[in-house]
Amino acid sequence: QVQLVESGGGSVQAGGSLRISCAASGYIHSNYYMGWFRQAPGKEREGVAHIDSDGNTLYRESVKGRFTISKDNAKNTLYLEMNNLNPEDTAIYYCAAEYDPIKMALIHALGIVKTFSNDFTYWGQGTQVTVSS
């Protein structure tokens, strides 16, 4: 089993930056697909960025050029660097992981827009990011 714990959320003014982290513990798989999702009040959870074990990344169009997903294998930690934040980025941010080969292939084929949150099996508890005007 794998546990995911997010941290680093907080409040920031528009135009500011934050870096949030997701620490993984338990059985660490060599092949994986991980992602950051976010959910604002009254809205559906949506994918923000994906990264696989080879380092390939995908981003939601609205965050391209502003957010960067990365990982540190030695620390078993996933990161999301968020720059030039705006109020529309306000949400609870979750990290997620998938290890099943079929699910990973599906996620890869669908891309970030068509991939649903239930395509990922493991989830963290979320960290709040609030951006004020």
Side-chain angles (χ1 to χ4, degrees):
Q1 297 184 18
V2 175
Q3 291 183 320
L4 304 174
V5 180
E6 302 95 334
S7 63
S11 298
V12 63
Q13 293 182 337
S17 300
L18 282 174
R19 187 177 78 163
I20 55 178
S21 303
C22 174
S25 61
Y27 184 80
I28 306 301
H29 297 72
S30 59
N31 296 317
Y32 55 82
Y33 217 103
M34 300 192 71
W36 284 100
F37 289 78
R38 65 186 182 186
Q39 187 166 21
K43 296 184 178 180
E44 296 291 326
R45 188 173 300 183
E46 63 180 21
V48 177
H50 290 171
I51 189 168
D52 63 20
S53 52
D54 293 324
N56 300 303
T57 60
L58 287 173
Y59 296 93
R60 171 170 290 275
E61 183 66 29
S62 63
V63 308
K64 287 182 178 178
R66 299 190 298 121
F67 291 10
T68 301
I69 186 171
S70 62
K71 58 186 177 67
D72 187 331
N73 291 335
K75 297 181 179 180
N76 293 324
T77 301
L78 180 74
Y79 301 98
L80 184 67
E81 297 178 356
M82 301 178 288
N83 300 312
N84 194 25
L85 287 161
N86 57 61
E88 289 70 37
D89 296 315
T90 295
I92 299 175
Y93 284 71
Y94 301 87
C95 66
E98 182 57 56
Y99 306 103
D100 179 77
I102 296 176
K103 284 290 187 70
M104 289 192 292
L106 176 62
I107 294 169
H108 178 75
L110 293 177
I112 196 166
V113 175
K114 297 182 178 181
T115 298
F116 295 98
S117 60
N118 60 7
D119 292 323
F120 287 82
T121 301
Y122 300 94
W123 292 85
Q125 83 289 347
T127 185
Q128 177 71 48
V129 172
T130 302
V131 185
S132 60
S133 301

